[in-house]
Amino acid sequence: MFDHGTNGTSLPGLHAALQPLLSARAVTKVYPTGAATEVRALNGVNIDLYERELVVLLGPSGSGKSTLLNILGGLDTPTSGTVRFRDTDLTEADDRMLTRYRRETVGFIFQFFNLIPSLTARENVELITDIATDPIAPEEALGLVGLGDRMDHFPSELSGGEQQRVAIARAIAKRPEVLLCDEPTGALDVKTGMLVLDAIGRVNRELGALVVVITHNAVIAEIADRVVSLSDGRIAGVRTNTIRRPISELSW
Amino acid sequence: MVGAMSPLDKKLFRDLGRMKGQMAAVVVVMACGLMVMVMERGLVCSLEHSKSEYYARHRLADVFCELRRAPNSLRTTLSHISGTAAVETRVLGVATLDIPGMEEPAQATLVSIPDDRPPRLNLLYLRSGRLPLAGRRGEAVLSDAFAQEHGFRPGDTIDATILGARVRLQIVATALSPEFVYELPPGGIMPDNRRFGILWMGERELAAALGLKGGFNSVVVDVSPYGDIRTVRSELERILAPYGARIAYGRREHPSVNMVDEEIRGLRATAVAFPLVFLSIAAFMTSAALTRLVRLQREQIGQLKALGYSSREIGWHYTKFALVAVVLGTGIGGALGLWAGSRLVLLYHPFFRFPSLTFHPEWPSLFFGLVASTATSLAGVATGVRRAVALSPATAMRPEPPGEFRRPAVRFPQLQNLAPPSFRMAVRNLRRKPWQAAFTGLGLAFATAIPVVSVAMDDGIRYMMDFQWRLAQRQDVTVSLVEPGSYRAMTELAALPGVLYAEPFRAVPARIVAGHRERQLAITGLTRAARLSRLLDEEANPIGLPRGGLALSEQLAKTLRIGPGDTLRIEVQEGKRPVFTVVVAALLTDFAGVGAYMDIEALRRRMGEGSTISGAHLEVDGNRWSGFFAAVKRSPRIAAVATTRSVRETYDRMMGDMMDITKVIMSLFAVVLSFSVIYNGARIALSERTRDLAALRVLGFTRNEVAAVLVGELAILTFVALIPGLFLGNQLTRLILASTVTETMRIPVLVTSRAYATAATVVLVSSFVSFGVVSRRIIRLDLLGVLKARE
Ligand SMILES: Nc1ncnc2c1ncn2[C@@H]1O[C@H](COP(=O)(O)OP(=O)(O)O)[C@@H](O)[C@H]1O
Ligand SMILES: [Mg+2]
């Protein structure tokens, strides 16, 4: 469908004319871990991400995927380097602007389904629809992920896959321009994983969001427009798929 | 129920529902503090309100002066004293009353009211009936409390003996007076409505009965707004000195006014002290509970931030937890305070006779309480919330890194090896969270302190009564003569039926001057061999009456800033009114009233008189009381009798309810406090250590052993807090009793083992009950399940 470039920074073809939605330049993240030691989780990452793209982040555990995703989503700030969303420099943004960015633009899905345990599925989604500007109705969002009939259940009354789908409904209810998913299927079995991925894919297609998915699973990569590999805090390679396989054809 | 509520508010209420035990603990403690504050401030407000309105509307005089006798012609001179708005002269006296059905005679203070016009000052508030009519003889107004006690009504008659003459008076009204809000009998320490009342009579008739025809022996003055009370007082004293005037005293020194003010002062003190303790403990408990909640919900906070909730919104969400506690606490505490205040005010009715004494809640104090508890709870919550929202969402969503393990600064190697592992673990846990342990300990210490105070106060009062009326004043009855009598009077008193033993005394009113300080009081002369009325030191050991000098109440010596060896000037205001100097020879302990004693012979010498007596202390055969009293009632020379046993009886009757209620409230507070503090501490410890405890289960500890680790922590705290708590109770008792010291009464600080034992029992029992509640929870908890689930 799209003619993608072969690395994260230079963008031939169609993208050359487009402005990236999110772009990271020389992003470094260092965690101090002790008096003398430190962990360099990201080490000079450059990447541009475009509207309507579905990008998969691949890489071994500890390679910095989550750190990068958190920084892109405004959940964390880099030690050095810049991250821009359209014309806004997120690294310069204050807490208020970051909050607005998270509130209006980004949807997040985590590996451990992070829902508020004391709220029902519908109420968890309402957390977003309550504060977003043009949200999808919670019922509709839950309907989109196939949970129309489980809306009044508490997280503890839902299976892992159902919880993750509530998290997706919650993330998409705000009609995010950017949907960031950190190992969304990591804690799920294959069949449920497929359902979840299908839901994520639909957000990409139907809402036109930029979707970034972290996974350990190389097979998932086949549904993506681009596959970015991280290793040791650096981008090790970018592969562009010319044909995206439908999720139903995936097997692993 | 949760229709239009925002999802965060739904979360709030569900989370609150899950921690309702803890919330209840916080709310109850907060409510206790507010209840005391609202109740006592309301009582202060009610007394102030009733008092100022009553004094103003019924024109209570500003200056009072008693004298021997001045002719009515002096009135014009008095009314020309500059700065006065109204001057009224009157006649005061005493009478004994013969009440049908009552063995002993009752006493009355007689007060005149003008014959031909309504009084200008100290206006009567008539409860029933009318004022005596001009020219109608034998009509009297009776004080309402006394009338109620004996069921007198207008139209009834009452038999009085005035200066030895028996008169039958017709009661035309029952009334209250701003001058006698607190009806203190002469020489008494509390009102005794059975044995003491006030009678108001027409001026001419009363003057004649008291042998003061055409004269007066009391002046009351209303100082104009532009007048200076001090100049009015000294002018009065100057003009009246030739007529035997004693000191002209201001309203504040008036016994009734003084007692009302003292009560207000005491209430003010407790209205601050107790709420302060409770509110600060509640604040700590809120803070501990919420710090824990915030820590447990760290990931949820990260999640909310990730969803786009701002730090302010999240901070506000957690602040609401504290606010709910505050609103409930102040709401319940306020309501209870209003209720308790409106009940408690009724207990004041027998003491303070106002036309109306109703509960006036002081709204600003409720508001202040709301603000204070909001502020303290928020201060408690602020740190935890601020720390939580300051984390980046990414960090917040990771589990909290385990705390660094530090070696304890102090180690007890022997203990460590001897104690069972659960005890060692408990000690280690306490040491890891020293602040939390300290505050829980503080709460427990206060819980221990409160019953100490209530028992110690009770013991103190008992001791005071015992000291004063069993050890110091050992006579069964004191009789005072209408006029000082000769030695023959003494033989007559000793010959009264039933009298086993009699000791004379001579009491003269005098002004005691030490430098620029002075006091008006009676100097009592006793025989050196006196064994009924004794002078005692602090340990209740008798001190002999000094041969030449004065023995002075320690309390009085303190206010006059003098000690043994100092010289005082005495200006006697009776007889030939001699002025002499005397050395302070000894100090004595006195809990009720202040006294100055001399050898009766020495006093008589200074007075320039022979074997004069003012009355006698008597020992009376218990089986012959009725004969004794009958004779006393018949005797024209006896002005007053005071029986020692009646003091105790009166105390029980008047103060009993008040003390019982105080004791119940205080014990309740102690139970609430210790239970709440322990429950709160246990819940926090439980939630923080669930994983540790679960791990113990995996290692093969039994459920009971696991419970022992947690309860062990609290039990250690309870025991450790016990001693400081008892000490705190001792200090608190001192503080509170110091705030209740008045001229007429001083409750000794007497913290006995009974107080300590009671306090320890109350706290230990309520602690063990809450241990039980907590252990049951631990035992029922699926600890192994906890390990599998992610928190
Ligand atoms: N808060 C943190 N403190 C210290 N080290 C961290 C923190 N977060 C991540 N790291 C470290 O940074 C590196 C990258 O972590 P992460 O981005 O989570 O990797 P991935 O998601 O690819 O597994 C790892 O070595 C990890 O241990
Ligand atoms: Mg990761």
Side-chain angles (χ1 to χ4, degrees), chain A residues 102-103 114 118 123 127 170, chain B residues 14 303 305 308-309 313:
Chain A
R102 293 193 294 258
R103 174 181 293 210
N114 292 337
S118 52
E123 288 159 356
L127 276 175
R170 190 173 71 177
Chain B
R14 296 206 185 118
Q303 214 185 117
K305 289 194 86 172
Y309 279 86
E313 287 164 320

Side-chain angles (χ1 to χ4, degrees), chain B residues 63-70 72 75 78 87-93 110-112 122 179 203 212 215-221 236 240 249:
Chain B
V63 178
F64 299 75
C65 186
E66 272 98 63
L67 51 141
R68 234 148 53 114
R69 181 189 178 277
N72 283 340
R75 280 175 184 166
L78 292 175
V87 177
E88 187 117 285
T89 64
R90 47 185 204 168
V91 180
L92 299 182
L110 303 170
V111 183
S112 71
N122 303 340
E179 212 184 340
E203 188 171 345
L212 297 167
F216 60 89
N217 65 359
S218 163
V219 183
V220 287
V221 178
L236 265 181
L240 294 172
Y249 53 93

Side-chain angles (χ1 to χ4, degrees), chain A residues 31-33 39 41 60-68 182-183, chain B residues 395 398:
Chain A
Y31 292 110
T33 49
V39 173
S61 177
S63 56
K65 306 181 295 294
S66 297
T67 306
L68 177 60
D182 192 343
E183 303 191 33
Chain B
T395 324
R398 306 180 149 260

Side-chain angles (χ1 to χ4, degrees), chain B residues 441-452:
Chain B
L442 194 69
L444 287 169
F446 271 110
T448 316
I450 291 171
V452 172

Side-chain angles (χ1 to χ4, degrees), chain B residues 474-549:
Chain B
R474 301 204 292 182
Q475 67 274 25
D476 295 318
V477 59
T478 301
V479 290
S480 310
L481 298 176
V482 170
E483 284 282 288
S486 66
Y487 198 76
R488 222 179 35 154
M490 187 61 213
T491 18
E492 273 169 32
L493 291 179
L496 284 170
V499 172
L500 302 173
Y501 173 71
E503 253 169 35
F505 69 85
R506 176 76 178 106
V508 295
R511 196 197 304 234
I512 297 186
V513 187
H516 61 281
R517 296 194 172 78
E518 56 172 57
R519 272 289 265 113
Q520 174 82 35
L521 89 172
I523 294 183
T524 307
L526 300 172
T527 60
R528 289 176 41 74
R531 62 176 174 83
L532 292 182
S533 180
R534 302 191 305 170
L535 312 184
L536 304 178
D537 66 10
E538 192 78 43
E539 270 81 52
N541 298 316
I543 48 175
L545 194 62
R547 207 169 278 279

